[in-house]
Amino acid sequence: MSTPRNVVVIGAGPAGYVCAIRLAQLGQKVTVVEKAELGGTCLNVGCIPSKALIAAGVLLDKIRHASAMGISATGVKLELDKLVAWKSGIVAKLTGGVGGLLKNHGVTVIKGTASFVDARTVKVVGAAGEQVLKADDVVIATGSEPIEIPGFAIDEDAVWSSTGALVPKKLPEHLVVIGGGYIGLELGIMYRKLGSKVTVLEATAGALPGQDRDCVKVIERSMKKLGVELLTETLARGYQKRNGKLVVNVTAKGVDKTIECDQIGCMVGRRPHSKGLALERAGLKLDAKGFLAVDKRMRTGVPNVYAIGDIAGQPMLAHKGSKEGLVAAAVIAGLKEEYDSRCVPAVIFTAPEMASVGLLEEQATAQGRKVKTGQFPFAASGRAMSLMETDGFVKIVADAATDEILGVHMVGPEVTELVAEAALAIEMGATAEDLARTIHAHPTLPEAMMEAAEAVHGMAVHIFQKK
Ligand code: NAI
């Protein structure tokens, strides 16, 4: 085995800590520098805590609507402080687990803020003072941070970012969410299910820009049923505090108006985070959007410096960062490895859930491909009926000439789980026929995937497809 390389990983989110563990598994000498908590945004103030609160909202909503199943529950109440404590317990368990894993793999963890002295030297300022680390390689995994917009300084009091929205001191009576993207919809719907009145302001013509419009339509319809007000083509301009209330100024479809509420959530996107790293001292330069450009081996323009996760570009998703971490670790360890995944699945925990992988129909067409699609509604699924969740469908986009599956977009029950099969299909270069011929267990939700694949050829058995 060659001499271990001395690697410093900056940032211990799902990109950085995964990279560090893999580097250790591959025999390298690894130090991770983290200025906040292990686990990064995902574990501490993102994916995990939000999904815990969302699960509570879903359960509460199910209990309220269980009478159709003959179950009536009385005296159901939400104890917000207990919910927040339960959620924090999950976060603590997971971040503790990451700490344990790093320790068991022999990774040195330093708490502090890192900055470059040069491409092979990193300075760390922490509670224990200042130390200087020499490195053969440096991996930058510093993630991203919420974007602020003029008129809405985030104070995590009157104006929450997604971070503040995960530690509510009281349930808002009326929450105004700015931004109808991933975070705005997930948290807006969650608060509605917990009992708040919710208004979502979205600048563009519809929620979740860039996602399959047929899927989004289902979510918009369900938000209406749930009582979440979605104002599209609406820009938030600023707010004032008046008589103990918050008054939000908006321009809705060209008309100025005000909305009174007691809580504002600003969820208008995230931007890459690299402040204070002194990248220029390592000879690194950010692109126009603040990302570090990398090649397929996660190398920046500076030979021994790598970048992974949100700082390395879109999509800003934990699992994409983790994958990049594994690639960077292998490359540093001298293995022939590159990022060559065909697709990155995306999951959105709305009601119903939405998930998507691969190309949208219009993206495939724009690439000059002829496509055919197949769609199967959950309304025709026995399993979905038994769950009382029949809204939504699975849509498969396939190449008309080769039958190869190019994209799968779905909205409905448990689709955030179903998307794994779709990602595997695309990664393996499967055709719609491959999926259609695979026996799917009955009665399960993934049967909808098989039937959508059959529908690509006009042969779905449980819906009538006109020739
Ligand atoms: P986003 O980019 O998904 O959505 C932001 C929305 O705000 C857009 O629809 C935009 O049109 C709107 N907007 C911007 N300025 C506005 C204004 N002044 N007034 C009204 N609307 C305005 O960003 P979001 O939701 O903050 O999420 C950031 C990233 O975090 C996502 O891109 C995603 O990668 C990641 N994420 C992933 C999740 C998951 O995987 N389930 C969940 C949450 C976030």
Side-chain angles (χ1 to χ4, degrees):
M1 203 163 140
S2 53
T3 326
R5 294 182 72 80
N6 200 348
V7 188
V8 171
V9 179
I10 306 175
Y17 85 73
V18 167
C19 181
I21 290 173
R22 180 52 55 87
L23 279 164
Q25 289 171 332
L26 294 172
Q28 313 305 310
K29 201 166 164 287
V30 196
T31 302
V32 173
V33 185
E34 171 57 60
K35 67 176 177 186
E37 303 300 327
L38 296 177
T41 299
C42 168
L43 258 61
N44 292 284
V45 289
C47 319
I48 299 299
S50 65
K51 261 79 268 178
L53 296 183
I54 287 167
V58 168
L59 180 59
L60 194 56
D61 193 57
K62 275 213 158 143
I63 294 171
R64 285 194 191 117
H65 292 96
S67 58
M69 283 178 168
I71 301 168
S72 44
T74 49
V76 180
K77 64 170 184 180
L78 170 68
E79 293 179 87
L80 194 67
D81 49 343
K82 285 193 185 159
L83 171 59
V84 173
W86 168 72
K87 172 222 71 175
S88 302
I90 295 171
V91 170
K93 207 177 271 176
L94 284 168
T95 54
V98 169
L101 283 170
L102 290 169
K103 192 169 165 212
N104 291 339
H105 281 91
V107 174
T108 305
V109 176
I110 300 181
K111 277 286 175 80
T113 304
S115 61
F116 280 98
V117 176
D118 59 45
R120 291 180 191 278
T121 316
V122 173
K123 183 173 85 178
V124 183
V125 179
E130 189 178 305
Q131 43 183 314
V132 173
L133 309 172
K134 284 283 175 194
D136 297 315
D137 302 288
V138 180
V139 181
I140 304 173
T142 47
S144 60
E145 61 191 356
I147 293 176
E148 263 189 64
I149 51 172
F152 296 92
I154 291 167
D155 56 6
E156 304 299 9
D157 181 30
V159 182
W160 281 338
S161 70
S162 48
T163 303
L166 296 171
V167 280
K169 292 191 189 72
K170 66 174 187 53
L171 198 66
E173 267 171 47
H174 183 186
L175 167 67
V176 168
V177 173
I178 308 171
Y182 275 58
I183 302 183
L185 288 204
E186 285 190 359
L187 294 181
I189 290 172
M190 183 269 283
Y191 271 104
R192 177 69 195 137
K193 288 193 167 182
L194 292 183
S196 300
K197 178 179 174 187
V198 176
T199 305
V200 178
L201 315 179
E202 167 54 42
T204 66
L208 297 168
Q211 298 288 339
D212 180 90
R213 296 330 287 167
D214 293 333
C215 288
V216 175
K217 256 187 233 154
V218 173
I219 293 170
E220 288 182 349
R221 219 170 35 225
S222 123
M223 283 166 67
K224 204 169 191 176
K225 248 196 278 174
L226 202 60
V228 177
E229 189 181 21
L230 172 67
L231 302 178
T232 55
E233 292 172 62
T234 299
L235 274 173
R237 300 285 183 200
Y239 81 99
Q240 303 91 43
K241 292 183 178 166
R242 201 183 296 155
N243 306 328
K245 290 275 179 200
L246 307 174
V247 181
V248 184
N249 305 316
V250 304
T251 308
K253 298 196 163 106
V255 180
D256 289 342
K257 54 183 190 179
T258 57
I259 303 172
E260 202 178 86
C261 65
D262 62 334
Q263 184 66 59
I264 298 166
C266 186
M267 290 136 197
V268 293
R270 299 182 63 87
R271 64 165 163 241
H273 173 80
S274 61
K275 222 170 38 210
L277 274 178
L279 293 171
E280 64 290 349
R281 290 199 207 137
L284 291 156
K285 246 180 106 170
L286 298 171
D287 72 12
K289 292 195 166 147
F291 293 109
L292 279 169
V294 288
D295 63 11
K296 284 191 158 199
R297 311 189 81 197
M298 310 321 299
R299 295 177 300 194
T300 62
V302 177
N304 72 315
V305 181
Y306 298 73
I308 56 174
D310 288 1
I311 187 74
Q314 297 282 6
M316 293 200 218
L317 296 171
H319 43 281
K320 171 258 189 189
S322 297
K323 176 72 189 177
E324 291 177 341
L326 297 177
V327 172
V331 171
I332 291 170
L335 302 175
K336 274 207 169 73
E337 179 78 342
E338 61 178 35
Y339 185 98
D340 70 346
S341 297
R342 289 180 174 207
C343 59
V344 181
V347 290
I348 314 178
F349 292 79
T350 39
E353 294 177 353
M354 185 178 157
S356 177
V357 61
L359 298 178
L360 294 169
E361 208 176 326
E362 55 269 29
Q363 286 171 332
T365 313
Q367 285 183 6
R369 292 178 187 252
K370 264 197 138 151
V371 300
K372 48 189 182 173
T373 63
Q375 197 163 314
F376 187 80
F378 283 110
S381 153
R383 181 68 185 130
M385 274 184 226
S386 69
L387 293 169
M388 278 206 322
E389 291 184 58
T390 49
D391 274 356
F393 58 84
V394 174
K395 183 203 274 186
I396 293 183
V397 180
D399 188 296
T402 65
D403 200 38
E404 186 186 349
I405 298 172
L406 303 174
V408 182
H409 311 283
M410 42 193 157
V411 57
E414 313 284 343
V415 295
T416 54
E417 306 288 331
L418 303 194
V419 75
E421 181 185 4
L424 181 66
I426 293 176
E427 210 55 61
M428 305 288 289
T431 59
E433 188 181 342
D434 290 329
L435 203 48
R437 280 177 179 266
T438 304
I439 299 178
H440 284 64
H442 179 72
T444 61
L445 296 169
E447 287 175 289
M449 194 89 77
M450 175 182 71
E451 294 262 8
E454 293 275 31
V456 170
H457 310 121
M459 299 294 274
V461 170
H462 290 91
I463 48 168
F464 177 64
Q465 292 183 276
K466 253 196 191 148
K467 288 279 176 218

